[in-house]
Amino acid sequence: AEDGYDMWLRYQPVANDSLRQEYQSQFQQVIAEGNSQTIKIAASELQRGLSGLLKKTVAQTSNVNAMGVVIGTPANSKLIASLNLKKRLASVGDEGYLIQKSRIGNADQIVIAANTDVGVLYGSFHLLRLLQTEQSLNNISIASSPKLQYRVVNHWDNVNRLVERGYAGLSLWDWGTLPELKSPRYEDYARINASLGINGTVINNVNADPRLMSDQFLKKIATLAEVFRPYGIKLYLSINYNAPRAYGDLDTADPLDPRVQAWWKARAEKIYSYIPDFGGYLVKADSEGQPGPQGYGRNHADGANMLADTLKPFKGVVFWRAFVYHPDIGDRFRGAYDEFTPLDGKFKENVILQIKNGPIDFQPREPVSPLFGSLKKTNMMMEVQVTQEYFGFATHLAYQGPLFEEALKTDLLVKGKGSTLANILSGQLNKATNKNPRTGMAAVINPGTDRNWTGHPFVQSSWYAFGRMAWDYSLTSDAIADEWLRMTFSNQEKFIAPIKKIMMDSREAGVNYRSPLGLTHLYSQGDHYGPAPWTADMGRADWNAVYYHRAAEDGIGFNRTATGSNALAQYPAELAKQYADLNTVPEDLMLWFHHLPWDYKMKSGKTLWAELVDKYYSGVTQVRTMQTEWNKMEGQIDAERFAHVKALLAVQERDAVRWRDSCVVYFQSISKLPIPDGYEKPAHD
Ligand code: GCW
């Protein structure tokens, strides 16, 4: 039975007979010189993958007279060294690799060469992907290296194994049986990540439990680190800023207090005694009730730098989150920029600010965070969400590739055209002001004890997309969806074409039935699943839906222009101008920045009210189309996953109707305008 456990590493026999025969004659064996665990893992992954894909056993040998695949580094493999690849290898760096055809002795070999063992592992996964997606290997010559340095997944896992915003079972980390029991899932988890080039994992929730830094836990955590290490994955911990107090050692956590500094120094030494290549800390400070330096009259730079100093001797880093907002600032949108922009240039070189893609919180559509445009001397990485906190949990189909791509391609116009977020993240744009930046991308992922890791089988695709884009942000979400579908389901065109279309439309459908035209955060508070645009009694203004949509008799939307909160001024001037002008602001971001009358004329000729209604209805129509298209796939793929997705789409349709009706009827109670003719009546129950 197909239970989704293998994710995109299924290695089912290549269905195209002639291609399979071609591959069979090329891949008769695997030659791997070198004895590291990483090389052994790469070789056995190739064996396993090729044996499955080619439907025959592919053995490891040292016989150079048969055609096969030869893997290694010049340092550990005589065969690789003999190929004189030095120059080409110099261009791919520490984690990159070459894949090419080379004559060795009497046979043509596919060669995977790298400067490091982990590069060889990444190259091995790449080769398997080519076969899984049925690519021709004629004239193959690939040189690949990652465009970003820190490619990190974040878990919001609690010590009690509940996963905040996870929806796919309990935490993978079974604290009760570690370190004695190494669940085979730990290793499969590492394989899944390594197949994408992900090189870091923060294993616990940013709302952090200080106990994880105790000897009792570090012993267990060291075991996980040991499993991940040969896969090139560093382990990081989220820390609680008040840990020195939580442990009862001090009555302060003031970063400028020498006793606090000494406490963290000793703690770093302890952690590194367990995990010599520990990655570092992720910190949520002075955010949503978490402690931080501000509690002691200090700022984020004081807070981050103190930790950075204690990790520096061990080459550790601090990922310092910029997710901050306070109820008294008037416009939540402004929070991160206002706190962090004045600190530009104040952070140590081993601090990286981890900034959510948008200014609020992983909404179905957000403009990019203005911080990306204002910081010039600070290391930055973007944080995105794979787990679907605001996209229907593990119930709705909502491929996040298009959202990631939209953010990466947004041009912030900091220094004229071409100032894309991708060029900022890569360090290119600020080269003059930040010479040796640390770069990266992080994603909050949701795997748990569900057999298929992610709950909805299609949440896997967003994990996949994150990893691929963190390696190469120039890849399109469309190309990535294509790859993922082929590897995960089938290479049949009649499956790929319609289902890729579903994936590519799914994010926009989710926007349309929840919060179109730049509306945001209309969720029922706390759970963030269903609609509650009427919420007005949360105690904190910025936790109320009415705070975000500002619907009133005179219109709808949040005025962030100069006559409103002026948050627009946080963007580089050119972009601010574009968003401030009603003729140039993209309509799908319009109500993020403008409060407009209900009868405002849209580009379509419709009034704003009519357009809003139309968007809500079109979201439901899109989900129904997804259902129809999916239902046609019966028999094209395994019955289990077919039925699973089919059932979830039915739930999604029901939820989409509820979202549409709740929002349309609620906004109608304010606009007092009729629903235009031709739409089905909202259901009342
Ligand atoms: O999106 C919000 C979530 C919280 C989360 C917080 C954060 C981990 O609702 O559950 O806390 O963001 O990113 O810190």
Side-chain angles (χ1 to χ4, degrees):
E2 184 58 73
D3 55 21
Y5 182 84
D6 291 329
M7 307 274 272
W8 49 84
L9 302 177
R10 286 169 71 239
Y11 306 136
Q12 291 299 298
V14 173
N16 177 329
D17 288 332
S18 65
L19 199 56
R20 194 175 65 247
Q21 281 155 19
E22 214 179 295
Y23 292 156
Q24 281 170 344
S25 64
Q26 173 62 56
F27 297 106
Q28 297 169 21
Q29 55 175 30
V30 176
I31 301 183
E33 293 174 318
N35 284 318
S36 76
Q37 239 183 307
T38 304
I39 291 292
K40 285 185 186 146
I41 286 168
S44 72
E45 189 74 28
L46 282 169
Q47 252 191 297
R48 168 186 188 157
L50 292 172
S51 299
L53 288 156
L54 310 187
K55 247 172 135 173
K56 64 163 199 187
T57 308
V58 177
Q60 282 193 59
T61 72
S62 52
N63 165 24
V64 286
N65 295 319
M67 283 161 77
V69 52
V70 177
I71 67 170
T73 66
N76 67 20
S77 161
K78 286 211 184 78
L79 293 176
I80 298 292
S82 76
L83 295 172
N84 284 322
L85 297 168
K86 275 230 171 81
K87 256 221 194 98
R88 281 196 84 201
L89 276 174
S91 70
V92 299
D94 275 355
E95 295 177 301
Y97 51 83
L98 308 173
I99 307 178
Q100 62 181 52
K101 211 170 228 172
S102 297
R103 187 95 186 156
I104 298 181
N106 302 322
D108 281 335
Q109 306 288 353
I110 297 288
V111 167
I112 302 173
N115 295 307
T116 63
D117 293 347
V118 78
V120 173
L121 178 62
Y122 293 157
S124 302
F125 278 114
H126 188 144
L127 178 66
L128 289 168
R129 181 164 74 236
L130 296 176
L131 272 64
Q132 288 176 282
T133 55
E134 300 193 348
Q135 308 292 305
S136 157
L137 302 180
N138 294 333
N139 307 317
I140 186 172
S141 176
I142 292 171
S144 182
S145 57
K147 291 193 162 69
L148 300 173
Q149 297 160 4
Y150 294 85
R151 305 176 299 278
V152 183
V153 288
N154 292 183
H155 293 257
W156 287 353
D157 292 18
N158 296 325
V159 170
N160 64 6
R161 298 189 75 194
L162 295 181
V163 180
E164 184 159 341
R165 317 295 181 188
Y167 330 109
L170 293 178
S171 169
L172 295 171
W173 327 130
D174 188 358
W175 300 118
T177 57
L178 279 165
E180 287 83 359
L181 184 66
K182 288 189 207 171
S183 157
R185 286 195 86 146
Y186 303 151
E187 189 149 0
D188 283 330
Y189 163 84
R191 283 176 62 229
I192 289 162
N193 281 318
S195 74
L196 304 172
I198 286 167
N199 63 4
T201 177
V202 186
I203 61 162
N204 64 315
N205 193 350
V206 288
N207 295 324
D209 190 319
R211 283 176 294 177
L212 280 168
M213 292 188 304
S214 65
D215 288 290
Q216 191 189 10
F217 272 98
L218 287 170
K219 255 181 230 149
K220 301 168 190 283
I221 295 168
T223 302
L224 292 177
E226 201 180 296
V227 176
F228 303 161
R229 185 169 299 120
Y231 290 88
I233 298 168
K234 284 201 168 164
L235 189 147
Y236 299 77
L237 287 176
S238 295
I239 59 111
N240 182 302
Y241 212 80
N242 268 348
R245 293 173 61 176
Y247 276 85
D249 294 333
L250 298 174
D251 59 2
T252 177
D254 178 354
L256 299 195
D257 186 316
R259 294 169 302 156
V260 173
Q261 294 163 4
W263 191 93
W264 283 103
K265 181 168 177 286
R267 191 59 50 161
E269 283 160 5
K270 182 196 281 295
I271 295 174
Y272 280 93
S273 75
Y274 284 97
I275 309 166
D277 57 351
F278 178 66
Y281 301 141
L282 172 62
V283 192
K284 172 177 180 176
D286 295 311
S287 163
E288 297 189 330
Q290 292 298 315
Q294 290 176 348
Y296 305 92
R298 314 299 181 189
N299 65 34
H300 290 288
D302 298 327
N305 291 342
M306 182 273 289
L307 295 174
D309 284 341
T310 69
L311 298 177
K312 177 99 183 167
F314 306 101
K315 300 193 163 63
V317 299
V318 174
F319 302 134
W320 191 268
R321 293 178 92 225
F323 177 63
V324 295
Y325 62 104
H326 303 286
D328 52 358
I329 57 176
D331 182 0
R332 173 172 174 180
F333 185 113
R334 302 189 57 108
Y337 176 101
D338 285 345
E339 282 187 44
F340 283 93
T341 307
L343 299 175
D344 190 22
K346 302 258 157 61
F347 290 95
K348 294 278 163 95
E349 72 75 34
N350 59 333
V351 175
I352 313 175
L353 281 196
Q354 187 167 309
I355 306 168
K356 287 187 182 182
N357 61 287
I360 303 284
D361 189 14
F362 299 136
Q363 295 300 297
R365 170 166 281 114
E366 296 201 28
V368 297
S369 167
L371 254 188
F372 291 118
S374 67
L375 299 174
K376 308 279 192 270
K377 304 177 192 159
T378 305
N379 300 321
M380 294 180 256
M381 55 201 272
M382 171 165 75
E383 178 182 311
V384 295
Q385 223 178 22
V386 163
T387 192
Q388 294 178 189
E389 173 178 0
Y390 293 103
F391 267 101
F393 296 5
T395 307
H396 293 196
L397 194 163
Y399 170 52
Q400 299 294 299
L403 187 158
F404 305 160
E405 182 180 0
E406 182 175 293
L408 288 164
K409 294 206 168 136
T410 298
D411 196 336
L412 283 97
L413 304 171
V414 193
K415 297 181 183 162
K417 280 219 169 68
S419 310
T420 60
L421 182 50
N423 286 338
I424 292 170
L425 293 177
S426 72
Q428 284 303 306
L429 201 79
N430 292 331
K431 236 183 3 219
T433 41
N434 189 10
K435 289 212 175 50
N436 292 304
R438 295 179 190 256
T439 65
M441 235 166 101
V444 182
I445 57 169
N446 79 328
T449 48
D450 274 17
R451 189 66 196 151
N452 74 358
W453 305 85
T454 57
H456 198 302
F458 277 73
V459 174
Q460 296 179 0
S461 67
S462 302
W463 186 349
Y464 185 86
F466 162 72
R468 299 286 289 126
M469 286 188 195
W471 183 274
D472 182 356
Y473 46 66
S474 71
L475 293 172
T476 65
S477 53
D478 187 282
I480 293 173
D482 199 279
E483 264 179 26
W484 179 81
L485 281 169
R486 290 173 191 278
M487 296 165 80
T488 308
F489 286 103
S490 154
N491 274 288
Q492 295 294 317
E493 270 322 313
K494 56 185 176 201
F495 176 79
I496 300 292
I499 304 309
K500 186 164 77 178
K501 173 113 177 43
I502 286 184
M503 288 176 74
M504 292 306 291
D505 291 347
S506 61
R507 183 279 184 121
E508 204 60 41
V511 171
N512 288 336
Y513 61 74
R514 290 188 184 86
S515 45
L517 300 177
L519 288 175
T520 207
H521 222 314
L522 308 182
Y523 296 84
S524 112
Q525 263 301 352
D527 58 90
H528 297 165
Y529 187 80
W534 46 81
T535 307
D537 58 355
M538 285 301 293
R540 243 184 95 153
D542 54 358
W543 287 353
N544 288 327
V546 298
Y547 171 97
Y548 295 97
H549 61 66
R550 313 248 153 160
E553 228 169 293
D554 71 339
I556 183 169
F558 198 128
N559 180 2
R560 293 190 164 101
T561 68
T563 61
S565 78
N566 207 21
L568 263 178
Q570 297 183 332
Y571 284 112
E574 280 307 303
L575 186 61
K577 215 164 88 191
Q578 199 183 97
Y579 287 164
D581 184 342
L582 284 170
N583 294 309
T584 50
V585 64
E587 284 191 345
D588 57 14
L589 292 175
M590 207 170 65
L591 301 179
W592 266 99
F593 300 116
H594 300 275
H595 185 83
L596 296 171
W598 295 105
D599 63 357
Y600 177 81
K601 225 357 185 331
M602 303 294 288
K603 290 193 181 115
S604 64
K606 293 193 183 82
T607 64
L608 170 55
W609 166 248
E611 183 97 356
L612 187 67
V613 171
D614 188 67
K615 288 281 181 194
Y616 273 111
Y617 275 83
S618 72
V620 170
T621 305
Q622 283 172 297
V623 175
R624 289 179 179 155
T625 306
M626 285 158 68
Q627 285 186 285
T628 319
E629 290 302 309
W630 184 260
N631 289 346
K632 290 185 200 156
M633 296 302 126
E634 184 155 20
Q636 298 275 338
I637 59 165
D638 54 280
E640 291 83 355
R641 289 184 301 171
F642 172 77
H644 190 183
V645 173
K646 179 178 171 174
L648 293 179
L649 281 169
V651 181
Q652 184 168 358
E653 194 268 349
R654 187 204 318 138
D655 290 345
V657 169
R658 181 174 294 272
W659 264 98
R660 178 196 73 192
D661 290 354
S662 302
C663 293
V664 167
V665 171
Y666 167 72
F667 287 131
Q668 188 181 30
S669 76
I670 300 168
S671 76
K672 306 273 184 346
L673 293 164
I675 295 171
D677 290 341
Y679 297 101
E680 68 187 23
K681 283 248 158 14
H684 293 276
D685 50 21

